Amino acid sequence: MKTALLFAAFGALFCLRLAAVGLIDYDEAAYAQAAHEMLLRADWLAPSLNGEPFFEKPPLLYWSQILGYQGFGVGAFGARLGNALAALTTLAVLHGFSRRPLGERVAWLGTLVLGSSLAFVSLARVALTDIWLLLFLVLAIGCFQRAVEAANHARDGGSLWFAGGCASAGIAMLAKGAIGVLLPFAALLLYLASLRRLSLVLRPAWCLPGAAALLGFGLSWYLLLGATRADGFGFMTELFLEHHLARFASAKEGHRGPFLYYLPVLALMLAPWSAFLPVALARRFDAASERARWLRLLALLSGVTLVFFTAAATKLPHYALPALPGLALLIADRLGNDRAPLQGRALSASVVATLVLLLVLVLALGLASTQAIAAALPAWLGAHAHKAPELAYPLDLGPALPAAALALLACALAVAASRRAPYALARRLGVGMLVVWACLAWGVMPRWDDHFLRPLRDLASHATARDTSGERLLLVGLRRKPSTVFYGGRASEYASPQRPDDLHARLSGPPPRLALTSDARFASLSRHAHFEAIERDTGYVLFRAAGPPVAAQPPTRAAPR
């Protein structure tokens, strides 16, 4: 009953009000639009974005979105539902594989820790590729662990489990490319080396069906697409050279960071469980029990993930997501396992509880002050607010924000009441955080969306209603905004704001065209050419050309003194 209630709570948290927040530029809106274009063409192989080939990611996410569109209509809910269900399935898979080696109590607590962490909740409610990658990584690692355990009891055992792990790694390759194979196999090889069982992967009963499953699933889409395209396998250049090797070798789009980038990132991603990490990691792993072996394998997956992405030049927070299941189970085993209590003065339950209490209070204070900061931000930024047009307007996050702060304070009281009972502390903390995340996801984020995302998508939709010529909507000075294509239902085109006369000529037709830009850019453009604002909304302007360009004015000089 306790497990069923936990998964019901996660199902509600991940799935309810998914469409209350619009698709977020760039990545989420781009993936949703690529899936929409595949649906319109009835083409499940070749993704496109804005009418152009788009091979940034393999198609597993797109396939889930197409199914969502077919079942629930084209929109944010259909685009995200597959990810929410994949997140729920990830927790079920981790719980299922952990029950035997760790026991029901630790498996339940590990599910709670992972599912209530900030990064997992956030990524469960958006349509990115990371949750799909994580699902099949956890499935692959679980199958590999069962294969090794079966081989420990029978000479030729474990081949089916190993083939299942290889198939899962192959499907992970359809979620996010080669990393879906690299991470689980690197962890497996290190694990087998630590057990001095590397020869297992060379057994014909393992390697032959395993290789067939890995290649059959992992290369299926790549081979089918290459065989059906006029340019053959030319798409591999963009997919692997630009979005695999180039991202590893150089920082793409400014996403760089210091060597220790992922240490603070992990602390944030695991919030509020970060305070338990020193306790969870202060231990040794032997191979005396299946429990220790399972934790070791997951810890190796976490370590491989962090080492690989630390070495990569391009750094983004969600890249570290595969490290979270192992860390979550280490925390759960430390808090919920009576055989591994918190011992030692530095690692006592009371000290850890105090750290957790301070962390929760800091989070509560941050939430309580957010509304005041948001209201004062336009005045603080002054002229700099034009860099993000919405920031020039005061933001009201509504009553759900103080409700979340109050929930955190109640959570702090519950933590304080269970300072010397680690399992009870963790259980109360997890349940409290589910309430907090629900307040933020269902109440605060829709207000944020209404202020930051809705204006641009509404204006794009209104542009299509006003202009039925089918001409591309010009986005003046607004790069990487595929949400305008998704919600506007028409292709868009970037236009530079540097040459107002050329822009005026493009908008003058024939046929006349419409454009979108920010308030500040529109004011600057209007000083050089005649443009007419059709509609304004929270920092953005839908406009068209009106009249001849303004005559260029000679530069003025200061009068001599």
Side-chain angles (χ1 to χ4, degrees):
M1 177 62 71
K2 186 170 67 171
T3 301
L5 288 174
L6 180 64
F7 277 95
F10 280 130
L13 178 59
F14 297 162
C15 298
L16 292 183
R17 303 208 70 197
L18 273 178
V21 176
L23 297 168
I24 303 170
D25 287 317
Y26 163 75
D27 290 342
E28 189 188 26
Y31 300 153
Q33 177 59 23
H36 186 203
E37 294 183 20
M38 293 173 76
L39 174 63
L40 291 175
R41 299 193 321 270
D43 182 353
W44 289 66
L45 287 179
S48 65
L49 176 62
N50 209 18
E52 302 293 332
F54 181 67
F55 294 108
E56 186 170 308
K57 292 292 187 294
L60 185 61
L61 171 62
Y62 308 146
W63 293 342
S64 75
Q65 292 175 316
I66 292 172
L67 293 176
Y69 296 155
Q70 290 176 333
F72 300 95
V74 177
F77 185 82
R80 291 171 172 155
L81 181 61
N83 280 61
L85 297 178
L88 200 60
T89 306
T90 301
L91 297 179
V93 169
L94 185 67
H95 180 268
F97 278 118
S98 300
R99 286 178 63 186
R100 189 178 81 181
L102 303 182
E104 174 61 32
R105 183 160 115 163
V106 174
W108 183 91
L109 187 55
T111 305
L112 177 63
V113 171
L114 177 61
S116 62
S117 63
L118 173 60
F120 195 88
V121 173
S122 301
L123 291 171
R125 292 183 59 87
V126 295
L128 300 179
T129 57
D130 302 273
I131 284 291
W132 287 103
L133 172 68
L134 183 66
L135 167 58
F136 289 100
L137 287 181
V138 172
L139 191 57
I141 287 294
C143 288
F144 288 154
Q145 186 260 353
R146 292 295 175 89
V148 174
E149 294 300 319
N152 289 337
H153 296 91
R155 177 174 177 79
D156 296 323
S159 58
L160 289 179
W161 280 114
F162 184 72
C166 291
S168 300
I171 299 174
M173 190 174 175
L174 297 179
K176 210 167 181 178
I179 198 71
V181 174
L182 175 63
L183 292 183
F185 274 93
L188 174 65
L189 293 177
L190 290 172
Y191 176 63
L192 291 176
S194 71
L195 299 178
R196 298 178 181 175
R197 301 291 304 276
L198 268 175
S199 60
L200 282 176
V201 294
L202 300 178
R203 290 182 177 179
W206 275 36
C207 65
L208 295 180
L214 176 65
L215 297 176
F217 282 96
L219 297 182
S220 56
W221 172 73
Y222 301 91
L223 296 177
L224 283 171
L225 184 60
T228 55
R229 284 179 60 82
D231 62 345
F233 293 91
F235 71 95
M236 302 280 276
T237 301
E238 178 182 350
L239 184 61
F240 283 102
L241 294 185
E242 181 177 347
H243 294 290
H244 280 63
L245 295 179
R247 284 180 180 271
F248 186 87
S250 60
K252 300 288 287 185
E253 298 153 6
H255 297 307
R256 57 176 54 87
F259 181 75
L260 298 179
Y261 174 86
Y262 285 105
L263 291 185
V265 163
L266 268 182
L268 182 62
M269 293 177 74
L270 263 176
W273 304 98
S274 315
F276 295 108
L277 269 179
V279 173
L281 296 175
R283 63 195 308 164
R284 297 178 61 187
F285 293 98
D286 56 36
S289 65
E290 185 179 356
R291 166 186 158 272
R293 291 192 292 271
W294 175 229
L295 291 175
R296 179 191 292 189
L297 178 55
L298 282 169
L300 286 170
L301 177 63
S302 300
V304 166
T305 299
L306 294 178
V307 168
F308 179 84
F309 287 113
T310 294
T314 301
K315 292 179 170 62
L316 284 168
H318 54 82
Y319 286 177
L321 184 66
L324 263 57
L327 298 177
L329 282 184
L330 287 174
I331 290 171
D333 187 66
R334 193 68 160 166
L335 298 178
N337 187 355
D338 293 333
R339 294 173 296 174
L342 302 180
Q343 295 177 346
R345 181 176 301 174
L347 302 178
S348 68
S350 180
V351 169
V352 173
T354 300
L355 292 175
V356 175
L357 180 61
L358 290 174
L359 175 62
V360 173
L361 289 174
V362 168
L363 292 174
L365 181 62
L367 287 182
S369 59
T370 297
Q371 181 58 70
I373 295 173
L377 201 55
W380 291 350
L381 292 175
H384 296 288
H386 74 274
K387 296 180 180 179
E390 309 89 343
L391 293 179
Y393 298 82
L395 171 62
D396 181 9
L397 294 172
L401 188 62
L406 289 174
L408 271 173
L409 289 176
C411 188
L413 293 176
V415 168
S418 52
R419 292 167 61 87
R420 298 187 179 277
Y423 178 70
L425 182 155
R427 189 177 62 231
R428 294 172 183 177
L429 177 62
V431 173
M433 291 311 302
L434 292 182
V435 176
V436 173
W437 299 141
C439 290
L440 295 177
W442 301 343
V444 176
M445 290 304 297
R447 294 286 190 119
W448 175 86
D449 168 79
D450 186 65
H451 188 85
F452 285 98
L453 304 181
R454 179 199 54 77
L456 197 59
R457 67 173 183 257
D458 279 2
L459 290 177
S461 178
H462 297 170
T464 300
R466 290 174 178 273
D467 176 13
T468 58
S469 67
E471 290 291 323
R472 293 189 173 215
L473 177 67
L474 292 185
L475 304 180
V476 182
L478 301 175
R479 289 188 183 275
R480 298 171 67 81
K481 299 292 185 182
S483 62
T484 59
V485 184
F486 187 86
Y487 289 102
R490 64 193 299 176
S492 66
E493 181 179 345
Y494 175 76
S496 172
Q498 302 303 319
R499 298 181 63 86
D501 290 350
D502 291 348
L503 177 62
H504 189 279
R506 293 178 69 184
L507 291 177
S508 297
R513 300 173 67 177
L514 299 179
L516 267 173
T517 193
S518 65
D519 273 336
R521 286 198 178 95
F522 180 76
S524 176
L525 291 169
S526 297
R527 289 194 290 268
H528 302 278
H530 288 294
F531 295 107
E532 177 188 0
I534 300 174
E535 188 176 350
R536 296 177 183 269
D537 195 342
T538 318
Y540 292 99
V541 184
L542 177 65
F543 69 100
R544 62 189 173 193
V550 176
Q553 300 295 324
T556 59
R557 296 183 179 180
R561 297 187 178 184

